[in-house]
Amino acid sequence: MTAITDDTLPTTPRAVRDEMILFAVMAVVLAAVPFTGIYPFFVMQALCFALLACAFNLLIGYGGLLSFGHAMFLGTGGYCTAHALKAWGLSPELGIVIGTAGAAGLAVITGLVAIRRQGIYFAMITLALSQLLYFIYLQTPFTHGEDGIQGIPQGYLFGILNLARSTTLYYVIMAGFLGGFLLIYRIINSPFGEVLKSIRENEQRAISLGYKTDQYKLLAYILSGTLAGFAGSLKVFVAQNASLTDVQWQMSGEIVLMTLVGGLGTVFGPVVGAFVIIAMQQYLAGLGQWVAVIQGVIFVACVLTFRRGIVGEIAHYFRRSF
């Protein structure tokens, strides 16, 4: 599958400067949130999903691989972290490591299966694997089925930071998001990222140049799944539960929606898209099922009127790389 990048601007020193300025502005704005009176739970939840959408964008926006099963990494990271914290009594940092490692292991196993196919076949395989894992988690005792893992202790990070304090937890989540974001940014601007972009644009030409494209795509898939699991591990501390909701196919659809609304193949697009979708769910919750209808309308409008997404259209208008 080819990403919607018909007029992607090349990486230049000016583009890097613009992106670093935007990153600094984003970091300052996020750091100021606790002093603005904005509901911190909403922002923390949005940051977790923003990191998840960025991880997904690494795979589809720069590797050209559409996955309909990324929720399995979010849910696996969450379940592994939640179980490590509640059943084993481990510290938060070890819980995060275990959750992220669990998602990485799952990415290796599913990647070796899914990467053998391309296009819609790859997408359907990831969807099938995700649904298979959903039913496994539904029956596995340690997940507690439909009840999920509730009342997860937040504990002290590194034995010092009390995550039960909302302000401390917010800055830990913010630091995790910014660290994950910078890692993704470094990946897409590395030689590995440039090869990924060439595979996205013309895989046969990349093969003719001597690149083993399957290995590059597999590594991109593993990196994307690992970062998605990291987002799931962070989300456990915000919601204090791990449930089947994070593994359902609907969650994979929301991840796709966040990325498309914000801007596929852009650096900051998934972040904007995640905040838009989470804000709708948060502030339109009183409308019940109509929220899903509104999201569907936005998705259709995005596809029909601004295919590049919010950030993609802004970048196109100003001829900048965001």
PDB file of all heavy atoms in Angstrom, residues 217-247:
ATOM      1  N   LYS A 217      10.985  -3.770   6.418  1.00  0.00           N
ATOM      2  CA  LYS A 217       9.574  -3.673   6.795  1.00  0.00           C
ATOM      3  C   LYS A 217       9.310  -4.397   8.112  1.00  0.00           C
ATOM      4  O   LYS A 217       8.517  -3.929   8.937  1.00  0.00           O
ATOM      5  CB  LYS A 217       8.697  -4.236   5.678  1.00  0.00           C
ATOM      6  CG  LYS A 217       8.685  -3.384   4.421  1.00  0.00           C
ATOM      7  CD  LYS A 217       7.645  -3.841   3.422  1.00  0.00           C
ATOM      8  CE  LYS A 217       7.993  -5.176   2.809  1.00  0.00           C
ATOM      9  NZ  LYS A 217       7.023  -5.567   1.751  1.00  0.00           N
ATOM     10  N   LEU A 218       9.971  -5.521   8.313  1.00  0.00           N
ATOM     11  CA  LEU A 218       9.803  -6.251   9.565  1.00  0.00           C
ATOM     12  C   LEU A 218      10.319  -5.432  10.743  1.00  0.00           C
ATOM     13  O   LEU A 218       9.659  -5.360  11.795  1.00  0.00           O
ATOM     14  CB  LEU A 218      10.542  -7.592   9.500  1.00  0.00           C
ATOM     15  CG  LEU A 218      10.524  -8.430  10.785  1.00  0.00           C
ATOM     16  CD1 LEU A 218       9.096  -8.786  11.182  1.00  0.00           C
ATOM     17  CD2 LEU A 218      11.367  -9.694  10.609  1.00  0.00           C
ATOM     18  N   LEU A 219      11.465  -4.802  10.580  1.00  0.00           N
ATOM     19  CA  LEU A 219      12.013  -3.981  11.653  1.00  0.00           C
ATOM     20  C   LEU A 219      11.104  -2.789  11.942  1.00  0.00           C
ATOM     21  O   LEU A 219      10.889  -2.427  13.109  1.00  0.00           O
ATOM     22  CB  LEU A 219      13.421  -3.504  11.289  1.00  0.00           C
ATOM     23  CG  LEU A 219      14.141  -2.669  12.355  1.00  0.00           C
ATOM     24  CD1 LEU A 219      14.185  -3.409  13.688  1.00  0.00           C
ATOM     25  CD2 LEU A 219      15.552  -2.311  11.892  1.00  0.00           C
ATOM     26  N   ALA A 220      10.554  -2.175  10.889  1.00  0.00           N
ATOM     27  CA  ALA A 220       9.623  -1.067  11.085  1.00  0.00           C
ATOM     28  C   ALA A 220       8.384  -1.533  11.843  1.00  0.00           C
ATOM     29  O   ALA A 220       7.867  -0.842  12.727  1.00  0.00           O
ATOM     30  CB  ALA A 220       9.223  -0.469   9.735  1.00  0.00           C
ATOM     31  N   TYR A 221       7.906  -2.719  11.501  1.00  0.00           N
ATOM     32  CA  TYR A 221       6.740  -3.292  12.170  1.00  0.00           C
ATOM     33  C   TYR A 221       7.039  -3.544  13.646  1.00  0.00           C
ATOM     34  O   TYR A 221       6.215  -3.237  14.519  1.00  0.00           O
ATOM     35  CB  TYR A 221       6.356  -4.594  11.468  1.00  0.00           C
ATOM     36  CG  TYR A 221       5.123  -5.278  12.001  1.00  0.00           C
ATOM     37  CD1 TYR A 221       3.860  -4.960  11.520  1.00  0.00           C
ATOM     38  CD2 TYR A 221       5.231  -6.260  12.978  1.00  0.00           C
ATOM     39  CE1 TYR A 221       2.727  -5.599  12.008  1.00  0.00           C
ATOM     40  CE2 TYR A 221       4.112  -6.910  13.470  1.00  0.00           C
ATOM     41  CZ  TYR A 221       2.864  -6.576  12.976  1.00  0.00           C
ATOM     42  OH  TYR A 221       1.750  -7.209  13.470  1.00  0.00           O
ATOM     43  N   ILE A 222       8.213  -4.078  13.944  1.00  0.00           N
ATOM     44  CA  ILE A 222       8.594  -4.370  15.326  1.00  0.00           C
ATOM     45  C   ILE A 222       8.739  -3.075  16.120  1.00  0.00           C
ATOM     46  O   ILE A 222       8.265  -2.972  17.264  1.00  0.00           O
ATOM     47  CB  ILE A 222       9.890  -5.190  15.365  1.00  0.00           C
ATOM     48  CG1 ILE A 222       9.662  -6.573  14.757  1.00  0.00           C
ATOM     49  CG2 ILE A 222      10.417  -5.317  16.799  1.00  0.00           C
ATOM     50  CD1 ILE A 222      10.934  -7.385  14.587  1.00  0.00           C
ATOM     51  N   LEU A 223       9.393  -2.078  15.538  1.00  0.00           N
ATOM     52  CA  LEU A 223       9.547  -0.794  16.222  1.00  0.00           C
ATOM     53  C   LEU A 223       8.194  -0.155  16.497  1.00  0.00           C
ATOM     54  O   LEU A 223       7.941   0.374  17.593  1.00  0.00           O
ATOM     55  CB  LEU A 223      10.417   0.140  15.379  1.00  0.00           C
ATOM     56  CG  LEU A 223      11.911  -0.195  15.296  1.00  0.00           C
ATOM     57  CD1 LEU A 223      12.595   0.683  14.255  1.00  0.00           C
ATOM     58  CD2 LEU A 223      12.578  -0.035  16.653  1.00  0.00           C
ATOM     59  N   SER A 224       7.317  -0.197  15.508  1.00  0.00           N
ATOM     60  CA  SER A 224       5.990   0.380  15.659  1.00  0.00           C
ATOM     61  C   SER A 224       5.194  -0.335  16.754  1.00  0.00           C
ATOM     62  O   SER A 224       4.571   0.301  17.609  1.00  0.00           O
ATOM     63  CB  SER A 224       5.236   0.310  14.327  1.00  0.00           C
ATOM     64  OG  SER A 224       3.932   0.848  14.449  1.00  0.00           O
ATOM     65  N   GLY A 225       5.229  -1.669  16.748  1.00  0.00           N
ATOM     66  CA  GLY A 225       4.524  -2.436  17.759  1.00  0.00           C
ATOM     67  C   GLY A 225       5.084  -2.222  19.157  1.00  0.00           C
ATOM     68  O   GLY A 225       4.334  -2.140  20.138  1.00  0.00           O
ATOM     69  N   THR A 226       6.399  -2.110  19.258  1.00  0.00           N
ATOM     70  CA  THR A 226       7.037  -1.890  20.558  1.00  0.00           C
ATOM     71  C   THR A 226       6.627  -0.543  21.147  1.00  0.00           C
ATOM     72  O   THR A 226       6.294  -0.437  22.336  1.00  0.00           O
ATOM     73  CB  THR A 226       8.564  -1.955  20.416  1.00  0.00           C
ATOM     74  OG1 THR A 226       8.940  -3.231  19.897  1.00  0.00           O
ATOM     75  CG2 THR A 226       9.246  -1.731  21.758  1.00  0.00           C
ATOM     76  N   LEU A 227       6.645   0.502  20.323  1.00  0.00           N
ATOM     77  CA  LEU A 227       6.254   1.830  20.796  1.00  0.00           C
ATOM     78  C   LEU A 227       4.773   1.884  21.125  1.00  0.00           C
ATOM     79  O   LEU A 227       4.356   2.587  22.050  1.00  0.00           O
ATOM     80  CB  LEU A 227       6.620   2.873  19.740  1.00  0.00           C
ATOM     81  CG  LEU A 227       8.124   3.142  19.610  1.00  0.00           C
ATOM     82  CD1 LEU A 227       8.442   3.879  18.321  1.00  0.00           C
ATOM     83  CD2 LEU A 227       8.621   3.947  20.824  1.00  0.00           C
ATOM     84  N   ALA A 228       3.962   1.142  20.369  1.00  0.00           N
ATOM     85  CA  ALA A 228       2.536   1.067  20.690  1.00  0.00           C
ATOM     86  C   ALA A 228       2.331   0.386  22.045  1.00  0.00           C
ATOM     87  O   ALA A 228       1.472   0.788  22.838  1.00  0.00           O
ATOM     88  CB  ALA A 228       1.790   0.309  19.597  1.00  0.00           C
ATOM     89  N   GLY A 229       3.122  -0.653  22.332  1.00  0.00           N
ATOM     90  CA  GLY A 229       3.060  -1.304  23.628  1.00  0.00           C
ATOM     91  C   GLY A 229       3.505  -0.385  24.751  1.00  0.00           C
ATOM     92  O   GLY A 229       2.943  -0.411  25.855  1.00  0.00           O
ATOM     93  N   PHE A 230       4.506   0.444  24.485  1.00  0.00           N
ATOM     94  CA  PHE A 230       4.956   1.430  25.469  1.00  0.00           C
ATOM     95  C   PHE A 230       3.831   2.400  25.798  1.00  0.00           C
ATOM     96  O   PHE A 230       3.617   2.763  26.969  1.00  0.00           O
ATOM     97  CB  PHE A 230       6.180   2.171  24.925  1.00  0.00           C
ATOM     98  CG  PHE A 230       6.693   3.268  25.819  1.00  0.00           C
ATOM     99  CD1 PHE A 230       7.107   2.993  27.111  1.00  0.00           C
ATOM    100  CD2 PHE A 230       6.762   4.568  25.361  1.00  0.00           C
ATOM    101  CE1 PHE A 230       7.586   3.997  27.941  1.00  0.00           C
ATOM    102  CE2 PHE A 230       7.237   5.591  26.177  1.00  0.00           C
ATOM    103  CZ  PHE A 230       7.645   5.301  27.472  1.00  0.00           C
ATOM    104  N   ALA A 231       3.086   2.817  24.761  1.00  0.00           N
ATOM    105  CA  ALA A 231       1.933   3.697  24.982  1.00  0.00           C
ATOM    106  C   ALA A 231       0.881   3.002  25.839  1.00  0.00           C
ATOM    107  O   ALA A 231       0.267   3.611  26.721  1.00  0.00           O
ATOM    108  CB  ALA A 231       1.337   4.122  23.641  1.00  0.00           C
ATOM    109  N   GLY A 232       0.661   1.703  25.585  1.00  0.00           N
ATOM    110  CA  GLY A 232      -0.284   0.937  26.386  1.00  0.00           C
ATOM    111  C   GLY A 232       0.148   0.817  27.836  1.00  0.00           C
ATOM    112  O   GLY A 232      -0.677   0.875  28.749  1.00  0.00           O
ATOM    113  N   SER A 233       1.447   0.670  28.061  1.00  0.00           N
ATOM    114  CA  SER A 233       1.965   0.595  29.428  1.00  0.00           C
ATOM    115  C   SER A 233       1.748   1.907  30.170  1.00  0.00           C
ATOM    116  O   SER A 233       1.367   1.911  31.351  1.00  0.00           O
ATOM    117  CB  SER A 233       3.457   0.246  29.404  1.00  0.00           C
ATOM    118  OG  SER A 233       3.682  -1.037  28.859  1.00  0.00           O
ATOM    119  N   LEU A 234       1.978   3.024  29.508  1.00  0.00           N
ATOM    120  CA  LEU A 234       1.749   4.328  30.134  1.00  0.00           C
ATOM    121  C   LEU A 234       0.269   4.543  30.433  1.00  0.00           C
ATOM    122  O   LEU A 234      -0.097   5.108  31.476  1.00  0.00           O
ATOM    123  CB  LEU A 234       2.261   5.449  29.221  1.00  0.00           C
ATOM    124  CG  LEU A 234       3.774   5.529  28.986  1.00  0.00           C
ATOM    125  CD1 LEU A 234       4.101   6.679  28.047  1.00  0.00           C
ATOM    126  CD2 LEU A 234       4.522   5.700  30.307  1.00  0.00           C
ATOM    127  N   LYS A 235      -0.584   4.083  29.536  1.00  0.00           N
ATOM    128  CA  LYS A 235      -2.022   4.276  29.698  1.00  0.00           C
ATOM    129  C   LYS A 235      -2.553   3.580  30.951  1.00  0.00           C
ATOM    130  O   LYS A 235      -3.540   4.028  31.550  1.00  0.00           O
ATOM    131  CB  LYS A 235      -2.742   3.766  28.451  1.00  0.00           C
ATOM    132  CG  LYS A 235      -4.252   3.963  28.451  1.00  0.00           C
ATOM    133  CD  LYS A 235      -4.839   3.513  27.135  1.00  0.00           C
ATOM    134  CE  LYS A 235      -6.353   3.617  27.153  1.00  0.00           C
ATOM    135  NZ  LYS A 235      -6.964   2.637  28.070  1.00  0.00           N
ATOM    136  N   VAL A 236      -1.919   2.480  31.355  1.00  0.00           N
ATOM    137  CA  VAL A 236      -2.346   1.752  32.547  1.00  0.00           C
ATOM    138  C   VAL A 236      -2.295   2.647  33.788  1.00  0.00           C
ATOM    139  O   VAL A 236      -3.179   2.596  34.644  1.00  0.00           O
ATOM    140  CB  VAL A 236      -1.453   0.505  32.741  1.00  0.00           C
ATOM    141  CG1 VAL A 236      -1.565  -0.043  34.159  1.00  0.00           C
ATOM    142  CG2 VAL A 236      -1.826  -0.569  31.737  1.00  0.00           C
ATOM    143  N   PHE A 237      -1.271   3.485  33.884  1.00  0.00           N
ATOM    144  CA  PHE A 237      -1.131   4.360  35.052  1.00  0.00           C
ATOM    145  C   PHE A 237      -2.164   5.482  35.040  1.00  0.00           C
ATOM    146  O   PHE A 237      -2.506   6.012  36.093  1.00  0.00           O
ATOM    147  CB  PHE A 237       0.283   4.954  35.090  1.00  0.00           C
ATOM    148  CG  PHE A 237       1.355   3.928  35.288  1.00  0.00           C
ATOM    149  CD1 PHE A 237       2.008   3.358  34.205  1.00  0.00           C
ATOM    150  CD2 PHE A 237       1.698   3.504  36.568  1.00  0.00           C
ATOM    151  CE1 PHE A 237       2.997   2.403  34.389  1.00  0.00           C
ATOM    152  CE2 PHE A 237       2.680   2.546  36.759  1.00  0.00           C
ATOM    153  CZ  PHE A 237       3.327   1.993  35.668  1.00  0.00           C
ATOM    154  N   VAL A 238      -2.642   5.833  33.872  1.00  0.00           N
ATOM    155  CA  VAL A 238      -3.654   6.884  33.765  1.00  0.00           C
ATOM    156  C   VAL A 238      -5.035   6.335  34.104  1.00  0.00           C
ATOM    157  O   VAL A 238      -5.762   6.895  34.927  1.00  0.00           O
ATOM    158  CB  VAL A 238      -3.654   7.493  32.352  1.00  0.00           C
ATOM    159  CG1 VAL A 238      -4.740   8.568  32.238  1.00  0.00           C
ATOM    160  CG2 VAL A 238      -2.296   8.077  32.014  1.00  0.00           C
ATOM    161  N   ALA A 239      -5.407   5.229  33.472  1.00  0.00           N
ATOM    162  CA  ALA A 239      -6.744   4.655  33.656  1.00  0.00           C
ATOM    163  C   ALA A 239      -6.831   3.744  34.872  1.00  0.00           C
ATOM    164  O   ALA A 239      -7.929   3.468  35.365  1.00  0.00           O
ATOM    165  CB  ALA A 239      -7.149   3.885  32.408  1.00  0.00           C
ATOM    166  N   GLN A 240      -5.689   3.238  35.357  1.00  0.00           N
ATOM    167  CA  GLN A 240      -5.612   2.287  36.474  1.00  0.00           C
ATOM    168  C   GLN A 240      -6.412   1.017  36.199  1.00  0.00           C
ATOM    169  O   GLN A 240      -6.966   0.397  37.111  1.00  0.00           O
ATOM    170  CB  GLN A 240      -6.082   2.936  37.778  1.00  0.00           C
ATOM    171  CG  GLN A 240      -5.086   3.941  38.345  1.00  0.00           C
ATOM    172  CD  GLN A 240      -5.478   4.406  39.727  1.00  0.00           C
ATOM    173  OE1 GLN A 240      -6.231   5.362  39.877  1.00  0.00           O
ATOM    174  NE2 GLN A 240      -4.980   3.713  40.746  1.00  0.00           N
ATOM    175  N   ASN A 241      -6.487   0.639  34.937  1.00  0.00           N
ATOM    176  CA  ASN A 241      -7.106  -0.632  34.569  1.00  0.00           C
ATOM    177  C   ASN A 241      -6.599  -1.054  33.202  1.00  0.00           C
ATOM    178  O   ASN A 241      -6.063  -0.238  32.447  1.00  0.00           O
ATOM    179  CB  ASN A 241      -8.640  -0.540  34.572  1.00  0.00           C
ATOM    180  CG  ASN A 241      -9.165   0.350  33.469  1.00  0.00           C
ATOM    181  OD1 ASN A 241      -9.186  -0.043  32.296  1.00  0.00           O
ATOM    182  ND2 ASN A 241      -9.594   1.550  33.812  1.00  0.00           N
ATOM    183  N   ALA A 242      -6.781  -2.331  32.911  1.00  0.00           N
ATOM    184  CA  ALA A 242      -6.465  -2.878  31.587  1.00  0.00           C
ATOM    185  C   ALA A 242      -7.642  -3.744  31.191  1.00  0.00           C
ATOM    186  O   ALA A 242      -8.018  -4.663  31.935  1.00  0.00           O
ATOM    187  CB  ALA A 242      -5.178  -3.698  31.635  1.00  0.00           C
ATOM    188  N   SER A 243      -8.257  -3.455  30.060  1.00  0.00           N
ATOM    189  CA  SER A 243      -9.479  -4.158  29.672  1.00  0.00           C
ATOM    190  C   SER A 243      -9.443  -4.565  28.213  1.00  0.00           C
ATOM    191  O   SER A 243      -8.546  -4.178  27.451  1.00  0.00           O
ATOM    192  CB  SER A 243     -10.695  -3.261  29.930  1.00  0.00           C
ATOM    193  OG  SER A 243     -10.675  -2.137  29.066  1.00  0.00           O
ATOM    194  N   LEU A 244     -10.461  -5.326  27.825  1.00  0.00           N
ATOM    195  CA  LEU A 244     -10.570  -5.798  26.446  1.00  0.00           C
ATOM    196  C   LEU A 244     -10.829  -4.672  25.459  1.00  0.00           C
ATOM    197  O   LEU A 244     -10.632  -4.852  24.256  1.00  0.00           O
ATOM    198  CB  LEU A 244     -11.703  -6.830  26.350  1.00  0.00           C
ATOM    199  CG  LEU A 244     -11.434  -8.191  27.004  1.00  0.00           C
ATOM    200  CD1 LEU A 244     -12.705  -9.021  27.013  1.00  0.00           C
ATOM    201  CD2 LEU A 244     -10.324  -8.932  26.288  1.00  0.00           C
ATOM    202  N   THR A 245     -11.261  -3.521  25.953  1.00  0.00           N
ATOM    203  CA  THR A 245     -11.520  -2.387  25.065  1.00  0.00           C
ATOM    204  C   THR A 245     -10.283  -2.021  24.259  1.00  0.00           C
ATOM    205  O   THR A 245     -10.392  -1.620  23.090  1.00  0.00           O
ATOM    206  CB  THR A 245     -11.983  -1.171  25.886  1.00  0.00           C
ATOM    207  OG1 THR A 245     -13.112  -1.529  26.673  1.00  0.00           O
ATOM    208  CG2 THR A 245     -12.340   0.001  24.972  1.00  0.00           C
ATOM    209  N   ASP A 246      -9.121  -2.156  24.870  1.00  0.00           N
ATOM    210  CA  ASP A 246      -7.880  -1.771  24.198  1.00  0.00           C
ATOM    211  C   ASP A 246      -7.431  -2.791  23.166  1.00  0.00           C
ATOM    212  O   ASP A 246      -6.477  -2.534  22.430  1.00  0.00           O
ATOM    213  CB  ASP A 246      -6.764  -1.576  25.235  1.00  0.00           C
ATOM    214  CG  ASP A 246      -7.019  -0.373  26.130  1.00  0.00           C
ATOM    215  OD1 ASP A 246      -7.778   0.517  25.722  1.00  0.00           O
ATOM    216  OD2 ASP A 246      -6.460  -0.343  27.250  1.00  0.00           O
ATOM    217  N   VAL A 247      -8.070  -3.962  23.113  1.00  0.00           N
ATOM    218  CA  VAL A 247      -7.667  -4.999  22.173  1.00  0.00           C
ATOM    219  C   VAL A 247      -8.691  -5.170  21.044  1.00  0.00           C
ATOM    220  O   VAL A 247      -8.415  -5.847  20.059  1.00  0.00           O
ATOM    221  CB  VAL A 247      -7.473  -6.351  22.907  1.00  0.00           C
ATOM    222  CG1 VAL A 247      -6.638  -7.312  22.065  1.00  0.00           C
ATOM    223  CG2 VAL A 247      -6.790  -6.154  24.248  1.00  0.00           C
TER     224      VAL A 247
END
